[in-house]
Amino acid sequence: MSEVKVTYPDAKEFSEIINAISALIEEASFTLASDGLKLRALDPSRTAMVDLLIPREAFEEFPESLSEEVRIGVNFDDFKKLLRRIKKGDKIGMEVSEGKLRVRLIGKASRTMTLPLIDIGAEELPTPKVVYTVLAKVSSDSLNEALKDADVIADAVKFDAKDDGLYISASSDKGDVEVKFEKEGEVMFEYDLKEPATAKYSLDYLVDTVSKAYRISDIVTVEFATQKPIALTFEIPMGGKLTYYIAPMIE
Amino acid sequence: MKTVVRINPALCIRCRGEYNLCGLSYCPILAELRTKYTLRQVKGKSEVDGSSPPSIFVGRIGYPRVNVYPATPPMHGDTRRLEDPRTWLSMELEDFLSSRLSLVRGSVKAKVYDAKDPPRLLHEIQIMALSEGPVDSELRFEKPVSGRYVIDEHSPPFGPSSPLKELRLATLPPPPRIIDKVYSDSDLNASDAMWTLYSSGIDVHQISKLLSVGVLGVIRRRRLVPTRWSITAVDKQVSDKLLDHVRDYPLINEYRVYVRKIRDNTFIGILAPHTWLYEWAEAWWPGSTWNLWGGDVVIELDYEGYWGRDDYPSIGGCYYAARIAALEALSSIRRQAAVILWREIYPGFNLPIGVWWVRENVRAMFKGPYEKFNNIQDALNYVSRFLKIPISTWISRSYVIRRLMKQQGITNWLGR
């Protein structure tokens, strides 16, 4: 296979995306397709899924045509170590050839490092089939803070969508916490309630993912329904997105 | 000692004599214990001559200027059992205590950074620690031995001390080859050094001793580490490495229940067919070590999910001592599981003797027999027979059980 080459204009942003994915998985395969760079994977306990799309338009350099999809299997711990070398203002180039991923950090000087590609069994995953009854666009920073508050108290958190807004609450013998995202409030940018909903999710998953992904985007789209998975979507420039799906806990 | 002070037992359980959370300038729990065990045969001596296992204690008071204490019992022969936690487990607690308290310590002041380029005396102490032992030692003191014993939540006990005037060592048995190798390797970082030693069969107890005297790690970063910190550091680092491997193993096929009852302690281990989750919980009865004045049983629990935890568990060193024992058990069968570990401590057990007690008991428990079950409910029904706290209370506190019983899989919505 001939070599394939892409360049992303903001290495820092790219590494934050990688960091956010690594909240759920240790290794996974990216797919380079004609419409962009994608990744879809389940966490090891199959409780959550991560779904990434960076469209070709977001890249500075992208193959004109791809005769077939290219799979890029990486270990995220190793990938992250390499991305720690990023300096402000760097671009990042990636080149796949002969079982290796060559990563080029392009700044004042250009540095090239390589990672071995790993072979990961291809698992074709659909996205979860859920009819969401709530859609809320909120400040990702505020959501992160709300979850961290809840994490002090409990290991799970309840999402309640009511007419007047979205409530996030937790309780245990250590105490109670409730955070309200008011409809038309300062940190709520859009609120579409088809019917009231309530569901409980593990903070393990919520805190790990949101505490990393909130750096990608100021706004997060929260979608859920009663006793159904929650979808948290962080937008990436040029129409890309990173979505986490997390299964609920039974009340 | 009679006391009329009422101290919130939750404070003592979190403090364990370390932080004076109760507000007194001494720990009344430890004070009472210390007066109980006097050591007539060594008190007042100004020199001790004996075979050191070898034993060395590093204090934490005054950090980074600490006291280092080489120690020996006043007897010759093969004393290595004094540093062998596996042997301690089969001893009566009283015998264990009195033998450990016979380790007379000579104190030497040192800066922790001295470890990389030690003055002569500290160098000799390091060489002593590296030796396979026993090491014939003569300790001469500035003044007759008195001072405090070490009775501690993390460290095993040590005897009384006096400032060291002179340390004389006879010809030392050389260190085991692997220990000499990591000691001589000035580029090997401490974490890799620990793992190298562990994989070569050196027990964590000995590794923590080596870490504490500052003979492991990249040479310019070597330093003395107070004994109690070194114990938990080794339990944590080694168990993190074990976990890296365990995460790659397939799940066990069934629920397994392990039970160990020993000296007013009940240990329960449940392995569940799920990716790694872990919890360690302790229930202290009124009258037990860290709940002397309480009226109720106090449960403390800490846990971690698949990715482990970044912050120090409030429950302290026992969390990691039990964690390494659990991960050793999973490593040995090359399987992954969610691990529940519960311990009930009844009133008769009121001695802090060190985290080795937890590590060795959990190790012994996982080496023993277990019962198999097909579901968590049956496993819990079985477990309830051995516990004094109602199983419903345990279940309501348990993080792992909540995850096992309540957490759904995302695959339920993938339409297959």
Side-chain angles (χ1 to χ4, degrees):
Chain A
M1 186 176 58
S2 59
E3 60 185 43
V4 186
K5 212 167 154 184
V6 298
T7 306
Y8 194 78
D10 185 343
K12 186 98 185 61
E13 187 175 80
F14 189 81
S15 86
E16 271 160 8
I17 294 169
I18 296 303
N19 200 24
I21 294 170
S22 75
L24 283 183
I25 50 182
E26 292 160 293
E27 48 186 42
S29 245
F30 289 96
T31 303
L32 198 61
S34 50
D35 56 341
L37 183 70
K38 303 181 215 179
L39 178 144
R40 193 174 282 173
L42 297 175
D43 87 290
S45 69
R46 305 170 89 78
T47 303
M49 177 192 273
V50 57
D51 187 17
L52 170 76
L53 168 68
I54 307 179
R56 64 177 300 149
E57 294 77 18
F59 288 88
E60 204 172 273
E61 183 184 9
F62 200 86
E64 277 306 316
S65 64
L66 278 167
S67 53
E68 53 177 344
E69 294 189 339
V70 180
R71 296 185 69 86
I72 310 170
V74 294
N75 176 299
F76 280 85
D77 267 355
D78 297 341
F79 203 5
K80 276 197 314 196
K81 270 182 204 148
L82 193 150
L83 295 179
R84 264 185 228 142
R85 304 299 311 146
I86 286 172
K87 301 268 182 320
K88 215 176 164 193
D90 280 357
K91 297 177 181 182
I92 183 169
M94 282 171 293
E95 224 178 286
V96 181
S97 63
E98 291 159 7
K100 289 207 173 76
L101 178 65
R102 284 155 68 82
V103 178
R104 227 148 47 94
L105 303 179
I106 311 152
K108 290 194 180 102
S110 148
R111 295 93 73 199
T112 305
M113 293 167 276
T114 58
L115 264 186
L117 289 180
I118 50 179
D119 196 14
I120 295 163
E123 190 178 20
E124 289 304 323
L125 291 166
T127 53
K129 294 174 185 57
V130 181
V131 179
Y132 301 106
T133 59
V134 187
L135 181 150
K137 289 195 176 184
V138 302
S139 145
S140 62
D141 187 30
S142 305
L143 179 66
N144 185 39
E145 290 302 320
L147 295 171
K148 283 191 166 161
D149 290 345
D151 199 35
V152 175
I153 299 289
D155 53 39
V157 72
K158 215 161 115 181
F159 279 64
D160 274 304
K162 299 180 183 169
D163 286 334
D164 60 340
L166 175 64
Y167 293 73
I168 295 174
S169 62
S171 66
S172 75
D173 56 352
K174 289 186 198 151
D176 305 280
V177 61
E178 183 183 90
V179 180
K180 182 179 178 189
F181 288 87
E182 224 166 314
K183 188 180 174 183
E184 286 160 16
E186 221 171 293
V187 290
M188 173 90 98
F189 310 114
E190 191 181 328
Y191 190 55
D192 178 9
L193 183 74
K194 294 199 173 65
E195 59 185 67
T198 174
K200 201 170 175 181
Y201 305 98
S202 163
L203 278 165
D204 257 6
Y205 289 88
L206 286 169
V207 171
D208 283 359
T209 52
V210 176
S211 68
K212 289 178 171 150
Y214 86 98
R215 295 169 198 277
I216 298 173
S217 163
D218 293 339
I219 301 171
V220 54
T221 306
V222 179
E223 293 167 280
F224 69 103
T226 297
Q227 300 273 20
K228 297 277 167 26
I230 191 169
L232 301 164
T233 302
F234 298 84
E235 281 173 24
I236 297 168
M238 310 298 285
K241 65 189 176 66
L242 174 69
T243 303
Y244 300 106
Y245 301 93
I246 301 169
M249 297 182 81
I250 303 163
E251 291 264 1
Chain B
M1 192 172 73
K2 262 257 180 287
T3 178
V4 287
V5 190
R6 208 183 135 78
I7 296 173
N8 178 353
L11 280 186
C12 293
I13 287 171
R14 286 184 179 268
C15 172
R16 302 184 187 199
E18 285 200 46
Y19 309 112
N20 294 351
L21 293 185
C22 60
L24 299 173
S25 60
Y26 64 97
C27 173
I29 294 176
L30 295 182
E32 160 137 307
L33 291 165
R34 284 195 178 116
T35 54
K36 263 192 201 162
Y37 301 93
T38 49
L39 281 170
R40 284 193 209 93
Q41 79 253 52
V42 290
K43 210 169 175 189
K45 286 195 171 183
S46 45
E47 58 176 78
V48 183
D49 182 356
S51 307
S52 176
S55 289
I56 289 123
F57 180 77
V58 179
R60 84 195 151 101
I61 310 283
Y63 191 93
R65 290 170 187 274
V66 296
N67 279 304
V68 182
Y69 302 85
T72 184
M75 62 168 102
H76 287 272
D78 190 350
T79 53
R80 284 178 293 184
R81 70 189 167 80
L82 291 176
E83 287 292 336
D84 179 10
R86 274 162 228 238
T87 317
W88 301 344
L89 198 58
S90 55
M91 294 168 85
E92 290 298 329
L93 282 183
E94 296 79 357
D95 298 340
F96 162 72
L97 269 175
S98 59
S99 68
R100 284 290 309 187
L101 290 177
S102 74
L103 285 165
V104 184
R105 298 172 298 145
S107 67
V108 180
K109 287 192 190 319
K111 281 181 284 200
V112 295
Y113 315 104
D114 288 344
K116 59 177 179 291
D117 184 16
R120 192 189 56 85
L121 188 51
L122 183 57
H123 178 69
E124 281 188 8
I125 294 169
Q126 288 179 333
I127 295 302
M128 186 178 162
L130 289 161
S131 168
E132 185 164 32
V135 179
D136 279 332
S137 326
E138 249 185 272
L139 277 67
R140 290 172 193 278
F141 304 117
E142 303 266 0
K143 50 188 180 185
V145 172
S146 67
R148 311 158 37 125
Y149 316 139
V150 176
I151 301 260
D152 184 88
E153 166 67 9
H154 289 101
S155 165
F158 277 93
S161 70
S162 179
L164 190 66
K165 189 157 73 182
E166 194 184 351
L167 174 68
R168 281 200 205 160
L169 304 177
T171 315
L172 298 162
R177 191 188 284 175
I178 185 68
I179 290 184
D180 195 36
K181 197 167 157 231
V182 296
Y183 168 60
S184 318
D185 189 340
S186 53
D187 296 323
L188 187 66
N189 71 48
S191 160
D192 289 343
M194 288 180 214
W195 183 246
T196 304
L197 291 171
Y198 181 81
S199 334
S200 311
I202 308 288
D203 187 58
V204 287
H205 176 73
Q206 198 177 351
I207 300 174
S208 69
K209 185 166 65 188
L210 296 170
L211 182 70
S212 76
V213 296
V215 294
L216 303 182
V218 175
I219 192 86
R220 71 193 145 78
R221 286 206 295 252
R222 287 185 187 181
R223 60 193 57 176
L224 300 168
V225 180
T227 297
R228 64 171 68 176
W229 301 350
S230 72
I231 292 170
T232 297
V234 174
D235 280 336
K236 176 174 185 336
Q237 301 243 14
V238 172
S239 60
D240 280 351
K241 275 271 185 7
L242 288 169
L243 178 54
D244 280 346
H245 296 284
V246 165
R247 284 202 197 99
D248 289 336
Y249 296 148
L251 305 186
I252 58 170
N253 297 319
E254 69 276 329
Y255 292 83
R256 294 186 183 184
V257 174
Y258 297 79
V259 179
R260 182 176 171 87
K261 282 183 172 282
I262 180 171
R263 299 205 178 95
D264 292 313
N265 278 249
T266 299
F267 291 87
I268 297 286
I270 304 175
L271 303 184
H274 189 282
T275 47
W276 172 254
L277 299 169
Y278 170 70
E279 77 183 23
W280 167 250
E282 297 176 343
W284 295 88
W285 255 252
S288 60
T289 317
W290 303 111
N291 190 4
L292 272 190
W293 303 287
D296 301 310
V297 178
V298 178
I299 301 181
E300 282 288 326
L301 177 137
D302 270 304
Y303 60 84
E304 64 187 53
Y306 185 77
W307 304 102
R309 58 186 295 149
D310 310 324
D311 53 339
Y312 191 70
S314 61
I315 214 163
C318 286
Y319 181 89
Y320 289 111
R323 185 178 186 250
I324 192 172
L327 283 160
E328 284 173 343
L330 291 173
S331 296
S332 72
I333 56 172
R334 303 179 72 82
R335 285 288 180 278
Q336 185 173 189
V339 179
I340 297 168
L341 284 173
W342 295 338
R343 175 186 176 202
E344 290 186 343
I345 306 104
Y346 312 121
F349 189 86
N350 59 5
L351 294 168
I353 51 176
V355 295
W356 68 270
W357 171 255
V358 164
R359 190 190 310 115
E360 295 305 325
N361 273 303
V362 177
R363 277 175 168 171
M365 176 174 75
F366 281 126
K367 286 199 181 107
Y370 60 88
E371 291 290 325
K372 288 187 192 180
F373 299 93
N374 291 323
N375 60 65
I376 185 72
Q377 206 53 59
D378 291 349
L380 291 170
N381 284 343
Y382 175 74
V383 162
S384 68
R385 284 197 241 155
F386 302 95
L387 291 166
K388 293 192 184 170
I389 291 180
I391 192 72
S392 57
T393 305
W394 275 116
I395 291 171
S396 72
R397 287 299 298 271
S398 172
Y399 158 78
V400 173
I401 291 178
R402 194 152 44 247
R403 284 286 306 271
L404 294 175
M405 311 226 289
K406 309 274 189 183
Q407 180 64 60
Q408 306 212 57
I410 196 73
T411 42
N412 294 353
W413 285 274
L414 296 183
R416 51 171 106 173

